[in-house]
Amino acid sequence: AQTVTQSQPEMSVQEAETVTLSCTYDTSESNYYLFWYKQPPSRQMILVIRQEAYKQQNATENRFSVNFQKAAKSFSLKISDSQLGDTAMYFCACNANTGNQFYFGTGTSLTVIP
Amino acid sequence: KAGVTQTPRYLIKTRGQQVTLSCSPISGHRSVSWYQQTPGQGLQFLFEYFSETQRNKGNFPGRFSGRQFSNSRSEMNVSTLELGDSALYLCASSFLPGQGASEKLFFGSGTQLSVL
């Protein structure tokens, strides 16, 4: 089994500033994927970014990037130039060859302040 | 292309009743998964269906069950509702099992169930 821990229940950031959300995970598998999902008030989960464990290079998607520290089992999300539309719940998740069974953290509620 | 559709959006039931939630995956998707989301617990995997067969099941009591039809639509059922079953139930689909990780998992907007 896998476990995912998000230790920051709530965070806030000023518009246009940078914020980092933390996530640690644990798995005994050697091949796995890590994800950050965003859940706005509409409730629909939206994939923000994905990292394959065997890739050493950190994934980036426009203003979103990750800091993947495999040995430390850490997977943080950095949001640059924060926008009001980034206000949402953010979930970190892990999948290790378990079909579509993902293991999610408890989430971080991010508020972007104008 | 329509997204993952879940009905109803909101549901209120009383303890002891049973409830059925519906999920229509994206056209062509054959894998459907269900998750329970509660405040402070995050999302917890319930089960995954592919080609009308349950492939995987999470750690939930037998009161939680599901099924998938030949058109890939899925339903989940909760019998003898308890207060703790109040949650947002999310459905997700992908073309094949496992492609939610290697490709993308598409989520619906969920059914908010309140048990009184």
Side-chain angles (χ1 to χ4, degrees):
Chain A
Q2 300 131 58
T3 59
V4 178
T5 303
Q6 294 178 251
S7 58
Q8 305 154 313
E10 295 181 359
M11 294 190 72
S12 62
V13 62
Q14 291 290 138
E15 194 175 5
E17 295 295 306
T18 295
V19 64
T20 299
L21 279 57
S22 301
C23 172
T24 58
Y25 64 94
D26 191 21
T27 179
S28 57
E29 300 291 330
S30 57
N31 186 26
Y32 52 91
Y33 294 87
L34 297 167
F35 307 82
W36 279 98
Y37 277 89
K38 168 185 176 181
Q39 186 180 44
S42 67
R43 308 184 322 199
Q44 188 170 32
M45 298 284 281
I46 300 166
L47 177 64
V48 175
I49 200 164
R50 175 180 63 206
Q51 174 81 42
E52 296 166 72
Y54 68 87
K55 288 188 176 179
Q56 293 187 344
Q57 187 172 7
N58 289 325
T60 62
E61 286 288 344
N62 302 314
R63 298 182 295 107
F64 299 88
S65 62
V66 298
N67 183 5
F68 175 43
Q69 300 290 325
K70 193 171 184 178
K73 295 186 176 177
S74 170
F75 184 62
S76 60
L77 174 70
K78 185 171 83 171
I79 306 174
S80 304
D81 185 26
S82 296
Q83 300 175 359
L84 297 179
D86 295 334
T87 292
M89 196 75 172
Y90 288 81
F91 291 96
C92 179
C94 180
N95 180 294
N97 301 316
T98 49
N100 284 341
Q101 180 174 3
F102 285 55
Y103 292 84
F104 286 85
T106 51
T108 296
S109 177
L110 177 67
T111 301
V112 180
I113 302 166
Chain B
K1 202 174 194 181
V4 178
T5 304
Q6 291 189 245
T7 56
R9 267 185 80 78
Y10 300 93
L11 205 48
I12 300 174
K13 292 287 187 178
T14 56
R15 279 184 302 172
Q17 287 187 310
Q18 77 166 22
V19 67
T20 299
L21 312 182
S22 179
C23 172
S24 293
I26 289 174
S27 178
H29 284 192
R30 293 161 59 198
S31 170
V32 175
S33 305
W34 289 88
Y35 286 84
Q36 181 195 66
Q37 183 181 355
T38 54
Q41 291 286 325
L43 281 76
Q44 295 185 300
F45 174 79
L46 281 155
F47 26 65
E48 178 182 10
Y49 285 87
F50 175 71
S51 292
E52 303 176 64
T53 302
Q54 187 180 92
R55 282 181 50 88
N56 204 356
K57 189 179 193 305
N59 189 24
F60 279 84
R63 299 186 297 107
F64 291 81
S65 63
R67 60 177 175 169
Q68 186 181 35
F69 302 95
S70 58
N71 63 356
S72 295
R73 191 178 71 86
S74 178
E75 290 181 346
M76 68 162 282
N77 184 278
V78 188
S79 63
T80 319
L81 283 166
E82 300 178 0
L83 296 179
D85 297 333
S86 294
L88 177 67
Y89 290 88
L90 291 165
C91 169
S93 76
S94 67
F95 182 62
L96 292 173
Q99 282 194 340
S102 60
E103 299 290 331
K104 190 175 180 180
L105 195 61
F106 293 81
F107 282 86
S109 296
T111 294
Q112 182 67 53
L113 172 66
S114 297
V115 182
L116 305 178

